[in-house]
Structure formats: C-alpha cells, structure tokens
Amino acid sequence: MGSDCSKNVLVVEITRLLYVLLFIYAASSKLMEFESFEIQLGKSPLLSAFAFWIARLIPFAELLIAVLLLFSKSMKAGLYLAFNLMIMFSAYIFIILHYSSFVPCSCGGILEKMSWNAHLIFNIIFIVLALASIIILEHKSYEKRRKIISKILFPALASITAVIILFLLSEQVMHYDNPFIRRYPNHPAVFKNAQDLKYNSYYFAGDLNNKLYLGNYSTPLDVTQFDAELKFSQKIKVTFNTKNIPFRTVKIFLRDSLFYLSDGSFGRLFSGNTNEWIINFEYKGMPFFTLYVPMAKDKIFFRSNDPKTLDNILGVYTLSENKQVKYCGDLLQKQIDGVFDTDGTLLYSTKLKRSVYVYYYRNEYFTADQTGKLDYRSHTIDTISKADFKVAYSKNGAVREISSPVEAVNAHAAVIGKLLFVHSQVRGKYENDILWKKSFIIDVYDLKRKAYLMSFPIYKTKADKLNAMYVSSNYFYALIGTDLVVYELQPILKKQL
C-alpha cells in the first residue's frame, strides 16, 4: 500500500514539474518573441480573427497555471486548468489537420521543430499525465468517481466546443468580415521559371491551348508565343491592312480561338482567328472606349466616357443589324471626380459569365451579368473605402489630372474561373517588413461566395515594379520590370477554380 502511495505521489510530482517547465518555457518564448507569435496566430486558419486577444491570453494562462502548480493548495486546480488547456490545444491541432483550408507553419517554442502530428501526440501524453494525476488526487469512492467524471468530462467537452466555436467564428470573419488580416498558406503558387525579355514594353495578350501570348506596344503587330513554363518561344506576325488608320495604342487580346486588336484612342475594334492571325472583321458602330472585354464574339463589355460630364461609364455593345449599345450608368459610383476615382481594371470570367470591375483607389469590386445588370458589390480586405487624392481642373473643366500623390490600392487584377486575383499595395495586420520589401502580395477572392480566400507572395527579381499579371488555369504569370516570371498554381488554389 505504501509503495503504491509513493508511486502515485511520484506521478503527481513529475506531472506537476513537467507542466511547470513546459508552461514557463512556452510562455517565456512567446513573450520574448511576442510580435512573431502574434504574426503566426494572425496567419492561423482557425484563430486569425482573434489573434490580438489570443496572443495575450495564452501566455497569461500558461504562467497562471504554472504558478498554481507550484503550490500544494492550488495544485489540483492547476492540474484541472492544465488538462483543459491541453485539450483545447489538441482540438485546435485536430481541426487544423482535418478541417482547415490549409495547414500553417508551427507557432514556435519548444514544439517548433515538430510536425503537427507530433504536436498532437505530445499534447496527448501531457493530457494523460494530467488526467492520471487528477484521478490520484481525488477520492476513490464510487460517488466521488462519478463526480470526478463529471468534473473532467464536462469541462473537456466545453474546451473542445470553445475551440470549434472560435474556428467557425474566425472563418466567418476572415472570409466575409475580414479585419485586414491576410492568410498565407504554404506555397499556393510555386516558382517555375523566368525569362528576361530585355524590354518593358510587353503586355499579356492571353493564353490558349496551354500557351501564353504576349503583345508589344513598340511593335503592335507582333505577338510572342511561349509554352506554359516559358521554356520555348516563337514570334507571330499579325496580318492587317491598317488602311491608313492613325493608331496610337494598339493592344491585342485573345479569347477562345479569336484575337482582338483595339485602339481605344479611336474606338476601333477588330478581330481575327488565331489559326491564321489575319484581321478580317471590324466591330462597326463600336463606341469610343478606354477599356473592353469580349463576353462573346457578338457581345462586348466596355468602359467609355459620358459625353456630358466626361465621367467614366460602362456599357454593353451587341453586334447586330442595329449595332446596339446599352450604357449602364449606375455601375460605376463616383466619389470625387468620376474619372480617376472610378478608374480600375475590367475583367470577364468565362466560367461565371460575369464581368468584373476592380477599382484602383478603393477597396471595392463588383460583378455584372451579360446585360450589364449589377450582380453585387463587394470589398477587398484592406480598409481604404474612399479614394484619397485631389484633382486639378482646367478653366473649362475639360482637362483634369491628379494633383496630389496617390498609389493604387488594387494595382492589378486578373480572373480565372471563379477566382479573382488582386495585387494589393496595402499592408495588412501581422505582416513583417521583410515580406513586403522582397515581394508583391497577391490576394485571392472567391467571386461566387463573395469571400476572401488567401494570399501569397510573388518575389521581386532585379526589378521592384510589377507591371502586369495574368492567370491561367494552371499558372500565375507576372511582368516584373523586363522579367517574365511564372508560378505554378498548387492544388490548394486549383481546387477552388
């Protein structure tokens, strides 16, 4: 009997000592590298929305439990709290491994080098030790055992339930009411290759049959074709009798088996087939436009200027005998001048059959159907809801320009499937300097769910300016200075398409 008693005492003492060492070390490491710990929580797929409070509560709870375990009178309460805290940690890891959208990096400390599965095993060992010690410390009568079970079981269930609720609330907040916290899964896009194009006059014309096409402003009728991973290239010459049209800014765009040649300066739009690369059709009656996207061969979504106010306005051109043009004056929402404040990127999703417009200078985008009817308005995750710059006008008001320094919020955007990719130039919470100095941040949104999904970095080359970006079903492309780079999309992104 005495031997059993001494063994029980030894188990309790060893458990108490291990927990004291674990929690003091864990809390100290978190507090000494508090900023890094808070950043890691901010990247968590479960706790991102509550990172500020949790980063402060966890070290406090660990130190409090360690203090309780040091004294005999409070040791039992400390063991109960330790048991339930480890239950919560284990529930967190289990959800991370089985239900979260991605598995983040370790949160550091003593478990930094362990895998998540090793973390879980480590926690279970400590849970078993705490449970054994609690049972030893409690009385062993039948009635007491029932009370012990209730004292252990209900708090444990409550701890698991609390983690589940935090997970569900955090997912809701992060996807739909984001407090400007980015999620960085492990490598959603992986670098594959880069090519030095020598000149910065290239732009993305489109992709077709797993090939990428670039246009060149300096040589308007030349198209460069690359294989998907930029290993091979060839030049294509577009055949076009210009008929003495005084082109200024020619741009070529591919959609399905057609290519389009436009010059917004004159509101002229032509097309041809990519089998021949010969211009053989003009969209007669097409109004003046500054941006356009083909929705179908006979339907074009475009941006123009209101003839009375000169404000930007969107519209739909339908190719028919009447050359029908429908203006959608309620889509673009004026904040300052109606031109610069409504400037943005015009895109089209062939999968959703929806046009997408992303504002440059505010955290907003919207989608419209093929008739130009608004589907919904939504926001990017930054907090800049109003354009912030001043506009100078000429005496007659016909000429205007931005008179104060301004930087685009959503500098570039691209659409593939139901995903919207946005190059954001605004730094979010819990983001370190090194990442922002070395890379461009791409935020990804689900257009169907109207939700933010994740973010990933595209690393700078010898240049530090992102000129353009493009996304195909398998690859992300970027023009950085004179460099063309390609990243391969990984399953975590591709399964969302």
Side-chain angles (χ1 to χ4, degrees):
M1 180 71 73
S3 176
D4 289 341
C5 214
S6 61
K7 286 180 182 178
N8 289 341
V9 171
L10 185 61
V11 169
V12 173
E13 288 301 314
I14 290 174
T15 300
R16 173 167 68 163
L17 178 61
L18 287 175
Y19 265 108
V20 169
L21 292 174
L22 173 65
F23 283 156
I24 288 178
Y25 176 83
S28 300
S29 65
K30 291 179 180 73
L31 293 173
M32 285 189 294
E33 297 183 6
F34 182 76
E35 184 179 355
S36 176
F37 173 59
E38 190 175 24
I39 288 171
Q40 291 291 349
L41 282 179
K43 296 176 181 178
S44 165
L46 267 70
L47 306 175
S48 309
F50 310 107
F52 178 85
W53 295 109
I54 291 174
R56 287 151 180 80
L57 285 173
I58 288 178
F60 173 78
E62 290 172 335
L63 289 175
L64 175 63
I65 293 170
V67 171
L68 291 174
L69 289 170
L70 287 173
F71 302 98
S72 298
K73 288 185 178 180
S74 57
M75 180 175 62
K76 189 189 295 184
L79 283 171
Y80 272 105
L81 289 173
F83 172 75
N84 284 287
L85 187 61
M86 293 304 283
I87 287 284
M88 294 181 78
F89 289 163
S90 300
Y92 169 77
I93 294 172
F94 184 83
I95 295 173
I96 283 280
L97 290 172
H98 296 90
Y99 298 102
S100 70
S101 55
F102 64 94
V103 178
C105 297
S106 168
C107 55
I110 196 169
L111 304 178
E112 184 176 7
K113 303 300 180 183
M114 291 186 185
S115 67
W116 284 100
N117 284 311
H119 284 198
L120 188 58
I121 293 170
F122 183 91
N123 286 0
I124 290 172
I125 291 171
F126 270 80
I127 289 170
V128 170
L129 286 172
L131 182 60
S133 298
I134 289 169
I135 292 172
I136 289 169
L137 289 173
E138 295 285 4
H139 295 291
K140 297 181 181 179
S141 68
Y142 178 73
E143 291 298 322
K144 287 289 184 182
R145 284 178 186 175
R146 293 181 63 183
K147 289 182 180 180
I148 292 171
I149 291 172
S150 64
K151 285 171 70 175
I152 292 172
L153 183 61
F154 292 127
L157 291 175
S159 298
I160 294 170
T161 303
V163 175
I164 294 171
I165 291 172
L166 278 176
F167 167 57
L168 295 175
L169 288 175
S170 184
E171 287 293 281
Q172 174 69 25
V173 170
M174 289 299 294
H175 288 310
Y176 303 104
D177 305 298
N178 192 291
F180 204 7
I181 301 172
R182 288 189 170 94
R183 287 181 165 176
Y184 292 95
N186 295 327
H187 310 299
V190 176
F191 175 81
K192 295 297 290 185
N193 199 6
Q195 289 286 345
D196 187 351
L197 302 176
K198 309 299 182 185
Y199 303 99
N200 63 359
S201 54
Y202 287 93
Y203 62 88
F204 290 111
D207 73 294
L208 183 65
N209 298 327
N210 210 31
K211 292 181 174 61
L212 177 72
Y213 294 84
L214 298 187
N216 192 323
Y217 291 114
S218 299
T219 54
L221 297 181
D222 288 341
V223 176
T224 305
Q225 179 194 84
F226 289 88
D227 69 297
E229 295 188 356
L230 312 183
K231 295 176 181 177
F232 308 100
S233 65
Q234 68 174 18
K235 297 289 185 181
I236 297 171
K237 190 75 173 180
V238 175
T239 302
F240 182 34
N241 181 4
T242 59
K243 301 177 183 178
N244 298 319
I245 300 172
F247 286 114
R248 293 181 186 175
T249 53
V250 171
K251 195 167 184 179
I252 292 172
F253 177 78
L254 275 71
R255 172 62 52 79
D256 298 325
S257 60
L258 296 178
F259 73 96
Y260 299 81
L261 184 146
S262 66
D263 189 330
S265 302
F266 298 97
R268 305 288 292 270
L269 181 63
F270 305 85
S271 69
N273 196 289
T274 53
N275 292 329
E276 301 171 336
W277 292 98
I278 299 173
I279 293 290
N280 54 25
F281 184 82
E282 179 176 3
Y283 287 81
K284 298 288 188 180
M286 182 80 179
F288 168 80
F289 59 89
T290 53
L291 295 174
Y292 81 97
V293 286
M295 295 185 285
K297 184 177 180 180
D298 61 345
K299 195 177 287 285
I300 309 292
F301 202 79
F302 67 91
R303 189 186 73 187
S304 185
N305 297 107
D306 187 299
K308 294 181 180 179
T309 64
L310 300 182
D311 293 352
N312 287 327
I313 188 170
L314 296 174
V316 177
Y317 166 87
T318 303
L319 183 63
S320 64
E321 292 182 1
N322 299 322
K323 312 295 189 298
Q324 183 180 354
V325 176
K326 175 188 175 184
Y327 288 99
C328 310
D330 59 335
L331 289 180
L332 295 178
Q333 294 183 321
K334 181 177 178 178
Q335 289 185 338
I336 300 174
D337 71 318
V339 175
F340 297 114
D341 63 337
T342 58
D343 200 4
T345 306
L346 181 60
L347 306 163
Y348 184 74
S349 167
T350 54
K351 180 174 183 176
L352 299 179
K353 291 182 169 46
R354 291 294 185 269
S355 298
V356 183
Y357 195 89
V358 184
Y359 288 105
Y360 283 144
Y361 303 112
R362 62 180 107 158
N363 63 347
E364 186 178 335
Y365 67 90
F366 61 82
T367 71
D369 65 17
Q370 290 190 315
T371 67
K373 181 181 178 182
L374 177 71
D375 282 327
Y376 67 86
R377 299 182 189 275
S378 191
H379 294 88
T380 52
I381 59 173
D382 65 88
T383 57
I384 302 174
S385 59
K386 292 188 179 295
D388 185 18
F389 54 80
K390 295 180 180 179
V391 178
Y393 294 84
S394 62
K395 288 184 178 181
N396 60 7
V399 179
R400 64 187 90 179
E401 61 182 22
I402 296 177
S403 62
S404 60
V406 63
E407 189 170 36
V409 175
N410 303 312
H412 305 92
V415 163
I416 184 68
K418 62 189 179 88
L419 298 186
L420 170 65
F421 293 72
V422 177
H423 167 215
S424 174
Q425 297 191 134
V426 184
R427 183 172 168 177
K429 294 181 181 178
Y430 313 123
E431 294 178 358
N432 57 51
D433 292 330
I434 295 175
L435 185 68
W436 276 84
K437 287 178 181 177
K438 291 186 175 181
S439 65
F440 309 101
I441 302 303
I442 310 300
D443 299 326
V444 186
Y445 301 85
D446 187 319
L447 292 171
K448 202 165 185 180
R449 291 167 51 201
K450 300 179 242 182
Y452 164 73
L453 293 181
M454 67 186 76
S455 301
F456 63 91
I458 296 296
Y459 290 95
K460 296 176 180 178
T461 59
K462 59 182 181 293
D464 60 359
K465 183 180 180 182
L466 179 64
N467 298 324
M469 67 186 210
Y470 184 83
V471 187
S472 71
S473 56
N474 294 299
Y475 297 94
F476 179 97
Y477 300 94
L479 286 168
I480 305 172
T482 62
D483 294 316
L484 170 62
V485 301
V486 56
Y487 283 67
E488 185 175 15
L489 303 183
Q490 299 303 294
I492 191 173
L493 265 175
K494 292 176 68 174
K495 69 181 181 182
Q496 305 283 352
L497 292 175

